[in-house]
Structure formats: C-alpha cells, structure tokens
Amino acid sequence: PPHLLPLPPIVSPKHCTLPPYPSINLPPPKPILYFVELKTGITIEKIFRVKANLLLRDGSNTTQYNPPHIDAPNDDTISMVFYVNDSDGNTRLFDKKAHQGATNLTVQKEVEPKAGRLFMFPSNVFHASSNPIKNVDRKVINFVVKPQKSFW
C-alpha cells in the first residue's frame, strides 16, 4: 500500500542541525532520506536513483496526465516522490504492477503536491505525474531505493 509521510521543511544547511544519518552516504538527499528512516523504521540498503523533476503549466486539464510508467520491475524497491513546493498536478497511482502490463489501468489513488510531503509506493506499480494547471510549476525529487527488509 502507498504511504504518505509528512516531513519537516528542509532548511539551508547553516540553519539545520541533524543527528548522524543512520545508513545513507550520499550528501544531497541525506536530510530527506534521514527522515524517511527515522519516521518509518526503514533502513535504506541501496539508492538506485535520485532525480529532480520540474513540470510547468502547459494548458492541460485535470483529467490529463503524463504516460504511466514504473520505476523498477522488481518487488523489493520503493519509489518516493518528495514534493518541494505546493502545487497542483497530482501524482496518480494505478491498479497494476509491471508484470500485469499497462493496459486498462485504473487510477487507485491521487496525491496532491504539498511542500514537504513524501509519497511512497512499490516501484513496480504504474504511476504518472501531471502538469500543474493553476500553479506555474510542480517541483519534486524522486527516489528509488531498496530497503534492507521488505517494507510492504
């Protein structure tokens, strides 16, 4: 099942003092992944991907979304979307995993971008972003990680 995890706002390093990070050795995402480990009990074994995405208002409507995709085909990875800013342009999670194919997908959950929110779900579940309609942009940081133990 997908999980929503509210995280504290990230502040500049000169104003942020955090305890030692449990298991992550990659500097830029450390504060976010530190809080994931702290709040969920997950210990991250491996980071497969960290990337920033910027979507701009493009004249689409609320029923449109970008092509559904998976982040990894296996069951042992977790995808996380960290919302950097308040925006519209929901993330949609569909009803099928990679091995079931991408035909006849049905939206199971929609998550609204709120600054500091982290949306977690299995990496092999189809999902899609959407461009903002009211806001100028939608900024996210995407993670694909493998926990030491199964989370789902």
Side-chain angles (χ1 to χ4, degrees):
H3 293 276
L4 286 175
L5 181 65
L7 296 178
I10 300 220
V11 295
S12 67
K14 67 180 182 179
H15 295 105
C16 186
T17 305
L18 298 173
Y21 302 105
S23 70
I24 293 124
N25 296 311
L26 186 63
K30 270 187 173 182
I32 297 169
L33 295 177
Y34 168 77
F35 284 109
V36 168
E37 289 191 339
L38 186 69
K39 297 291 185 182
T40 64
I42 294 172
T43 301
I44 296 171
E45 180 178 302
K46 185 171 184 178
I47 299 170
F48 290 104
R49 182 175 69 208
V50 178
K51 67 176 184 151
N53 283 345
L54 170 68
L55 291 177
L56 302 173
R57 184 172 46 211
D58 68 353
S60 57
N61 64 51
T62 57
T63 63
Q64 293 175 304
Y65 49 83
N66 294 307
H69 63 279
I70 60 163
D71 292 334
N74 41 332
D75 284 323
D76 63 348
T77 55
I78 296 172
S79 290
M80 297 183 278
V81 179
F82 177 75
Y83 299 97
V84 175
N85 65 323
D86 288 339
S87 186
D88 55 327
N90 291 354
T91 301
R92 290 170 170 86
L93 192 68
F94 296 94
D95 61 339
K96 293 185 179 177
K97 291 184 174 184
H99 71 276
Q100 297 169 307
T103 57
N104 300 318
L105 294 173
T106 302
V107 174
Q108 293 295 303
K109 184 173 190 66
E110 287 194 41
V111 177
E112 184 179 0
K114 293 290 179 195
R117 176 179 281 170
L118 183 80
F119 179 40
M120 300 170 49
F121 53 93
S123 297
N124 62 353
V125 173
F126 283 94
H127 57 283
S129 61
S130 55
N131 290 65
I133 297 164
K134 299 176 206 160
N135 297 88
V136 174
D137 60 21
R138 173 187 187 268
K139 299 172 192 149
V140 302
I141 302 172
N142 296 89
F143 300 85
V144 179
V145 300
K146 180 180 180 185
Q148 282 185 349
K149 298 178 188 171
S150 177
F151 181 66
W152 314 110

